[in-house]
Amino acid sequence: MTREPLPDTDPPTRTTDLRTAGEWLTHHDLADTHPTPLLASRLAVRRRARLATYVILAALIIVSALVATSAFGGLPPHRPLPLLALTASVAGLLLAQFLLDRWVRRVDQRAGATLSRRAAHPIQPGWRTVLGRSYAVFVVATFVGAMVLAASALAVPDPTVRQLAVVVLIGLLGATAITAMQLRHLLRFPVVAEDEESLTADVIMRVEDARELTTPNVQWSLPVVLFGTAPGWWGAAAVAYIVLSLAACVAIHARTPSCATVARRAMSVR
């Protein structure tokens, strides 16, 4: 007796998803492209995944803040329990992000299996297309700057400040690992396309998601934990870091070509 496979289908594409897909195409200068159920379902999954990622990062910030309060709750600064709890929480959030990326990948795989034909000349965009040199430099610079800022607080003699600095360092490492995991997913999951238009849309989605990841929300938020306890020079350095990185973020967004332009360039050289 043969065992029938379990059903693994998605619900029918909703009208709202198709309308949203049409608005997305118009926003990216693809108004002449008809929104397909394939595109609508992929965009809907990505919206849900992006929202879940925001929740994961918010949970990381909240857990870090809760652990930081233990420095003022009567626990000795050398007690490892709060830091172990934070490390375990970061590991759990990394697992949640891994499962989230795998869910998106499975949805794309099921969508690709339903295509009647694949794009004639599929491409696998590299990091220069998906992220771009300017955004890559910005990601590295904001990470290094945040780590140096937090590490500099370890030189302060106050044990409370040092404990808070360790909390910030663990949180930053966790946020960076989550971002790296998402970028790896964007660069490695296969293209899902059946024609020129869907291939262009696939590249646009990757570029759009990668640029969303470059916003250093956690790097801007976690140093706030040390405000009020760290010395004045550290607070001034933290404010300078946030202001300079924010200005760089705005400048890069303003000067970099749009996602649609990057995708069309990638399509023209394939």
Side-chain angles (χ1 to χ4, degrees):
M1 178 177 175
T2 60
R3 188 175 65 178
E4 296 182 358
L6 294 175
D8 192 19
T9 57
D10 294 323
T13 306
R14 296 182 300 178
T15 304
T16 54
D17 291 339
L18 286 172
R19 183 171 61 251
T20 303
E23 295 171 352
W24 184 87
L25 289 169
T26 302
H27 176 72
H28 291 289
D29 300 327
L30 295 173
D32 295 335
T33 302
H34 181 69
T36 62
L38 170 67
L39 177 63
S41 62
R42 294 188 70 197
L43 288 174
V45 167
R46 271 154 182 76
R47 285 195 301 273
R48 300 185 186 104
R50 184 176 296 178
L51 178 60
T53 299
Y54 290 153
V55 173
I56 290 174
L57 294 176
L60 176 61
I61 295 173
I62 292 172
V63 171
S64 299
L66 291 175
V67 173
T69 59
S70 66
F72 308 99
L75 292 177
H78 62 275
R79 286 285 296 273
L81 184 59
L83 298 180
L84 290 176
L86 175 60
T87 303
S89 299
V90 169
L93 294 175
L94 285 173
L95 176 60
Q97 185 61 53
F98 170 78
L99 295 176
L100 184 63
D101 290 339
R102 189 174 70 171
W103 171 60
V104 175
R105 186 164 59 249
R106 289 185 61 187
V107 171
D108 283 346
Q109 289 172 347
R110 290 198 299 268
T114 63
L115 297 179
S116 58
R117 62 189 179 91
R118 302 300 293 263
H121 302 286
I123 62 175
Q124 188 67 36
W127 70 269
R128 288 185 177 85
T129 299
V130 175
L131 187 58
R133 190 180 303 274
S134 298
Y135 283 96
V137 171
F138 178 71
V139 169
V140 173
T142 52
F143 166 72
V144 172
M147 293 296 293
V148 170
L149 186 65
S152 65
L154 293 175
V156 178
D158 188 341
T160 299
V161 174
R162 289 202 299 267
Q163 181 177 353
L164 293 177
V166 173
V167 170
V168 174
L169 285 171
I170 294 175
L172 290 174
L173 289 174
T176 302
I178 291 173
T179 300
M181 188 180 297
Q182 291 178 280
L183 287 175
R184 178 180 179 273
H185 171 72
L186 289 176
L187 292 172
R188 297 195 61 179
F189 77 83
V191 171
V192 179
E194 58 182 339
D195 51 29
E196 194 82 10
E197 290 77 13
S198 59
L199 185 56
T200 303
D202 186 284
V203 178
I204 292 176
M205 280 190 283
R206 293 171 191 261
V207 176
E208 190 175 50
D209 290 345
R211 293 184 178 183
E212 182 74 19
L213 291 175
T214 62
T215 306
N217 296 310
V218 176
Q219 289 86 341
W220 289 337
S221 302
L222 280 182
V224 177
V225 170
L226 281 159
F227 281 136
T229 57
W233 63 265
W234 191 94
V239 171
Y241 164 77
I242 295 174
V243 171
L244 290 176
S245 57
L246 178 60
C249 182
V250 172
I252 291 173
H253 278 281
R255 296 175 61 88
T256 306
S258 66
C259 300
T261 301
V262 172
R264 289 192 181 93
R265 289 177 180 175
M267 297 289 294
S268 65
V269 299
R270 68 188 178 95

